[in-house]
Amino acid sequence: MTSDQRRIQPRKQPRQVRAELTRQRILAAAAHIFAEYGYAAGTTNRIAEQARVSIGSLYQYYPNKDAILAELLTRHLDGDRGTATLRRYKESSESLESIIRAFVRTVIDNHLDDPQLLRIMIEQAPRSGEILERVTRVKWEMIDDLLDLLNVHPEVRVQDKDTAARLVTSTVELTVHQLIAAPDSIDLTRLENELVAMITGYLRA
């Protein structure tokens, strides 16, 4: 393990229910503080105060705020349901538009809990080798599952399906992330409808 990896590793893995609840409080408090104050001003003292634990107790679990943010990002990645949605429709006879809509809606839902926190996680979270590997794995699983779907669905007419799978996953993920995390709000129904129309039209062309 490199020094950078050690720097963002949790110090203590809870073995008792009480300890796990404390860790959950720290993570929930950190999510609130980072979203409200931003990462630079989201100090461990503020996180500890919000979590109602001493700063010493916080440091028993996490060596610094980088480690807390890294765990929040890891949990977000583990909760991504886009790949599961694509796998569910692999053998489906539903229309291409219905499948793409389900995928787009899932990605939007993944970003709704706290878009400002998600922006901070994506843009400022420490990039250890382990986290980068997990981000890459999630991305390629999604691409591979979409490619499987494109290869068998009768409505798909695009010639280069490999490139199409990469373009579609990147377009949906980046567009949803940027527009939902933007300071000015966007109508989610309109976002969903426009993305579905754009992607379905491209895949049918």
Side-chain angles (χ1 to χ4, degrees):
M1 183 184 295
T2 67
S3 59
D4 282 344
Q5 288 173 317
R6 283 193 296 271
R7 186 174 60 83
I8 63 171
Q9 284 293 317
R11 279 182 169 155
K12 181 178 181 180
Q13 294 297 329
R15 291 186 172 85
Q16 298 179 342
V17 172
R18 183 177 178 182
E20 176 59 26
L21 290 175
T22 299
R23 183 171 74 153
Q24 295 296 337
R25 284 215 317 274
I26 292 171
L27 290 171
H32 174 82
I33 293 297
F34 290 150
E36 181 173 351
Y37 294 99
Y39 190 60
T43 63
T44 50
N45 282 323
R46 277 179 164 156
I47 294 170
E49 182 179 357
Q50 178 74 23
R52 302 187 306 279
V53 300
S54 69
I55 190 68
S57 294
L58 183 148
Y59 284 135
Q60 287 180 3
Y61 292 87
Y62 300 99
N64 48 55
K65 67 179 183 179
D66 284 353
I68 299 174
L69 186 63
E71 180 145 343
L72 287 171
L73 177 58
T74 296
R75 289 184 175 214
H76 171 74
L77 292 170
D78 288 345
D80 193 306
R81 299 180 298 276
T83 299
T85 298
L86 291 172
R87 288 177 181 170
R88 191 167 69 246
Y89 284 97
K90 272 186 182 181
E91 306 296 329
S92 173
S93 59
E94 292 198 34
S95 70
L96 182 64
E97 180 178 341
S98 296
I99 295 171
I100 296 301
R101 184 173 298 281
F103 174 56
V104 168
R105 186 171 293 164
T106 299
V107 174
I108 290 174
D109 288 345
N110 284 344
H111 287 73
L112 286 183
D113 285 344
D114 197 324
Q116 294 307 317
L117 173 62
L118 182 61
R119 178 181 59 78
I120 291 169
M121 287 195 295
I122 298 298
E123 296 173 5
Q124 301 180 31
R127 292 295 192 265
S128 71
E130 180 182 354
I131 289 178
L132 286 174
E133 181 182 344
R134 189 169 299 192
V135 169
T136 300
R137 185 170 69 247
V138 169
K139 179 186 74 173
W140 280 106
E141 284 177 355
M142 193 176 294
I143 290 171
D144 289 343
D145 284 312
L146 180 57
L147 179 59
D148 288 344
L149 193 152
L150 298 183
N151 279 329
V152 299
H153 200 285
E155 292 182 48
V156 175
R157 294 288 182 267
V158 67
Q159 292 299 309
D160 187 348
K161 294 181 177 62
D162 181 71
T163 299
R166 301 185 195 196
L167 280 174
V168 170
T169 53
S170 296
T171 298
V172 174
E173 284 284 344
L174 292 175
T175 301
V176 169
H177 166 67
Q178 291 178 355
L179 293 182
I180 290 183
D184 50 331
S185 60
I186 185 169
D187 183 276
L188 297 181
T189 300
R190 180 169 296 177
L191 172 62
E192 177 186 317
N193 288 339
E194 294 300 320
L195 265 177
V196 170
M198 179 177 70
I199 292 166
T200 305
Y202 161 64
L203 293 175
R204 286 173 174 164

